[in-house]
Amino acid sequence: MVDKIFTNISFRLQKQKSTSLTNAEASERAFRALKLITRLRTTTVATKSYELFKTIMQSTVAQKRKMAAARLALHAAYPPGLESAPPVGDPKHISDFLKYCADLPPGGDNHTDTIPQIIRTINTPSDQTPQFRDWYIENAEELLARFQWLYRSEEPNWW
Amino acid sequence: MESAPLMIQGSLALLAAAISRYLWELDHMVSWVVIGFTIFGCIAYMTMMVVSVYSFDCPFQTPFSLLIHYIIGTNHPRQPVNHRESDADILLGDLAVAAVPINLHRHVIHSSLPLSQRKGYKHDARCISRMLALSTDMGATHLTMDFVQEIVWDAEIKTLPLEWIYKKLISCFDFTHPHTPVLNPALRDAAYLSAKAFAHIQIQQLCTAQGGGAGTADESWRPDKPHKCLGSLWSGGDHELESALLMVDRTFRHDVMIPWDKYRLKPDHHHWVSHLFVYRAWHDRRGWVPDDVSDFVKYSLNLENPPRKPIIADCLCIINIMLGEQFHVDDLTRRDKRLDRLILFYDSGTDVS
């Protein structure tokens, strides 16, 4: 059932499914469904969420909506306390996402535990794929420097 | 001990034969009277036996009918309403678990279900209505109202005890206070059970109406006076009762919101709500899943201690409906078959997928 939900969300966010719904409605429904399903903390949901994150980052959805969906997907992929989170791969998508987040102004929405969790995860070698590890060694310093707000307890204005 | 009826019936037959034989020697006319009674008894017995063989639900089972049931392999008592099973149920259960889009129109699903199952719910509904109308014992009415949740109150069921239950619910409150209705503490259980029964029937009636949930429940029973909100006014710290009352209010007014985040629900009550909210999500599937249903799913999936697996399954169903999948909430046994299988998945250590 979880598989089906994620497949549907993926199709609808990419506007690939032919339904009686308009694209905007389909996208909005998918976003609402994503908000709900990402509350479920299981290994399956985490794995599927990471797959969805990659799909979302490759999609041509509007930037703001894309990043909001990507944040939800990553939040479900790496929830606090989940023992077996999917290994971090695809440096491009992660870095695109983190750069976008780093550029957001501080303040606003307080739902921000996604970023610290992601930072923690990408800092853990055992959670990295070899491809990501190579990239991380080269780029970590620059990337992490963008997240000074994490240490100042300031929260960016997400979306 | 179970062979006692057989021995009694056998001894009666022997007695009748012996008396007939004895009286035949004395007087033929008198003997014919006894023989007539004996033949009548035999015919009645045979009729009961045939009827009992035809239906196991027949209350006049005889030792021979039980033996015949045993021989032909139909010696199963009538299954409880929530444990009925058929090939169609298994098929639909499999489809639901596999989350294959079920694009069957509801009447196709209806026609694929055994008529006996649907009749069973109709019988149960009639029994409940009659029991509630006739019974004066509080324990009996409580049990009967509790049984309401075991039935799928399909829109085709027309015998609805809504008026009785609504009056019962209202009678638990004192409306003489200026601002809020006051619950009589001794009637807490009556209020809770009647609120649940009322919400259950109303929601299922509305959501299984022909025409894809666009139908409206029969409201001819409604009192002339407008419904006075109970849940939003009454706050006694009893989360189960308050949420049940708010669900009743929600059947009258669409602007009633239920603050799920505030509640800590007991598992049974939580499961009941999740089950009913699948119906509500289905009902609104052509538009948006209502906000209070979304809030409920959020609340359920967000709990620190994860809720029961059937509740999670219901939440997943609601999310699927939100995405446009057409689940078959009017499948009379959906609840059991689908969830039983999901529980098996969980118990075998497999994740929900």
Side-chain angles (χ1 to χ4, degrees):
Chain A
M1 207 182 293
V2 171
D3 280 351
K4 187 71 189 171
I5 290 172
F6 274 97
T7 308
N8 261 327
I9 290 173
S10 175
F11 279 147
R12 289 184 195 289
L13 280 176
Q14 296 177 81
K15 305 171 186 173
Q16 286 178 357
K17 192 154 187 173
S18 61
T19 61
S20 55
L21 301 173
T22 64
N23 283 343
E25 277 178 339
S27 170
E28 184 58 32
R29 281 191 186 201
F31 196 69
R32 287 186 69 187
L34 184 60
K35 275 184 179 172
L36 295 180
I37 191 67
T38 49
R39 309 262 168 174
L40 192 59
R41 293 176 186 181
T42 69
T43 311
T44 307
V45 170
T47 311
K48 292 283 166 193
S49 296
Y50 188 67
E51 295 293 319
L52 183 65
F53 166 73
K54 289 191 285 186
T55 311
I56 291 168
M57 292 303 286
Q58 286 165 358
S59 69
T60 54
V61 185
Q63 179 80 341
K64 198 172 176 185
R65 173 52 63 97
K66 184 204 276 193
M67 291 301 171
R71 179 177 67 86
L72 284 171
L74 269 188
H75 181 69
Y78 301 103
L82 189 72
E83 286 179 4
S84 51
V88 185
D90 304 299
K92 183 180 180 312
H93 299 324
I94 292 276
S95 75
D96 285 353
F97 175 74
L98 290 177
K99 280 174 188 168
Y100 178 84
C101 296
D103 292 340
L104 291 172
D109 193 342
N110 59 5
H111 189 113
T112 56
D113 51 346
T114 310
I115 301 302
Q117 187 64 20
I118 293 294
I119 300 287
R120 262 194 298 277
T121 307
I122 66 175
N123 265 318
T124 312
S126 60
D127 287 341
Q128 298 170 346
T129 59
Q131 182 194 11
F132 186 82
R133 198 173 300 136
D134 295 341
W135 174 87
Y136 186 72
I137 290 165
E138 286 178 22
N139 299 283
E141 197 174 336
E142 183 202 336
L143 184 68
L144 294 181
R146 290 166 170 258
F147 288 93
Q148 290 302 315
W149 57 268
L150 272 179
Y151 310 104
R152 298 198 304 267
S153 304
E154 288 177 8
E155 291 170 351
N157 181 12
W158 292 110
W159 357 82
Chain B
M1 284 304 291
E2 287 184 2
S3 62
L6 183 64
M7 288 191 284
I8 293 169
Q9 287 163 16
S11 59
L12 275 174
L14 288 173
L15 178 68
I19 290 178
S20 303
R21 176 74 183 81
Y22 175 69
L23 290 177
W24 187 261
E25 299 292 327
L26 301 179
D27 189 322
H28 284 199
M29 285 302 288
V30 176
S31 175
W32 272 118
V33 174
V34 176
I35 290 170
F37 275 113
T38 308
I39 290 171
F40 175 76
C42 287
I43 291 171
Y45 189 84
M46 292 298 288
T47 309
M48 278 196 293
M49 202 173 75
V50 170
V51 170
S52 306
V53 168
Y54 181 74
S55 168
F56 200 93
D57 288 344
C58 176
F60 309 113
Q61 294 292 339
T62 67
F64 291 107
S65 66
L66 291 172
L67 181 67
I68 294 169
H69 277 298
Y70 179 77
I71 292 168
I72 62 177
T74 57
N75 55 329
H76 307 294
R78 184 171 175 241
Q79 293 179 345
V81 276
N82 56 346
H83 290 291
R84 292 168 186 161
E85 185 172 349
S86 70
D87 290 342
D89 305 331
I90 293 166
L91 170 68
L92 290 172
D94 283 339
L95 288 174
V97 170
V100 173
I102 300 167
N103 293 318
L104 303 174
H105 195 267
R106 59 180 53 239
H107 65 253
V108 176
I109 295 164
H110 262 301
S111 61
S112 70
L113 289 168
L115 190 62
S116 59
Q117 289 184 4
R118 299 174 61 201
K119 274 186 178 174
Y121 283 123
K122 282 186 180 173
H123 281 308
D124 292 338
R126 275 203 294 272
C127 287
I128 285 177
S129 299
R130 198 157 176 76
M131 280 288 289
L132 290 177
L134 296 179
S135 178
T136 52
D137 178 66
M138 189 180 277
T141 53
H142 284 192
L143 282 173
T144 311
M145 284 197 288
D146 207 21
F147 186 60
V148 164
Q149 302 155 45
E150 301 297 323
I151 298 173
V152 175
W153 293 81
D154 192 276
E156 289 180 16
I157 294 176
K158 303 296 179 196
T159 317
L160 305 174
L162 284 171
E163 186 175 0
W164 190 96
I165 295 172
Y166 185 75
K167 281 181 180 167
K168 180 78 182 171
L169 173 63
I170 294 298
S171 71
C172 298
F173 287 87
D174 177 5
F175 288 92
T176 55
H177 289 259
H179 301 297
T180 57
V182 177
L183 175 72
N184 179 346
L187 298 176
R188 186 268 171 201
D189 286 350
Y192 175 61
L193 289 172
S194 50
K196 272 178 85 173
F198 185 85
H200 192 92
I201 296 173
Q202 275 285 45
I203 289 173
Q204 290 193 332
Q205 278 276 305
L206 274 167
C207 300
T208 57
Q210 287 290 344
T216 51
D218 177 21
E219 295 173 3
S220 54
W221 58 269
R222 266 195 190 181
D224 296 334
K225 282 191 292 185
H227 171 75
K228 197 167 186 177
C229 283
L230 300 167
S232 50
L233 297 174
W234 182 80
S235 56
D238 184 336
H239 296 166
E240 280 78 26
L241 178 58
E242 188 179 324
S243 58
L245 292 173
L246 280 168
M247 285 175 76
V248 170
D249 293 342
R250 187 70 172 67
T251 64
F252 289 95
R253 293 175 50 176
H254 292 294
D255 59 345
V256 173
M257 296 304 289
I258 309 176
W260 295 110
D261 287 344
K262 235 176 66 179
Y263 298 145
R264 293 179 72 84
L265 302 178
K266 289 177 183 160
D268 283 343
H269 184 81
H270 197 166
H271 186 192
W272 171 72
V273 176
S274 74
H275 177 60
L276 273 192
F277 272 13
V278 177
Y279 283 83
R280 287 210 35 220
W282 168 268
H283 175 52
D284 291 303
R285 72 194 186 284
R286 288 180 182 171
W288 293 100
V289 169
D291 284 341
D292 60 328
V293 177
S294 297
D295 289 346
F296 173 78
V297 173
K298 207 182 291 176
Y299 156 79
S300 301
L301 298 182
N302 237 6
L303 286 173
E304 273 185 40
N305 297 321
R308 278 184 189 173
K309 290 147 192 175
I311 298 170
I312 293 180
D314 279 335
C315 292
L316 295 181
C317 258
I318 291 170
I319 295 174
N320 254 321
I321 291 169
M322 187 183 275
L323 286 165
E325 293 296 340
Q326 295 187 15
F327 278 87
H328 49 281
V329 292
D330 56 346
D331 166 13
L332 302 184
T333 49
R334 179 205 63 81
R335 180 180 183 179
D336 306 306
K337 295 304 127 204
R338 182 178 58 82
L339 299 182
D340 285 351
R341 280 151 194 273
L342 271 176
I343 289 164
L344 282 177
F345 274 117
Y346 273 106
D347 290 346
S348 62
T350 313
D351 210 341
V352 191
S353 52

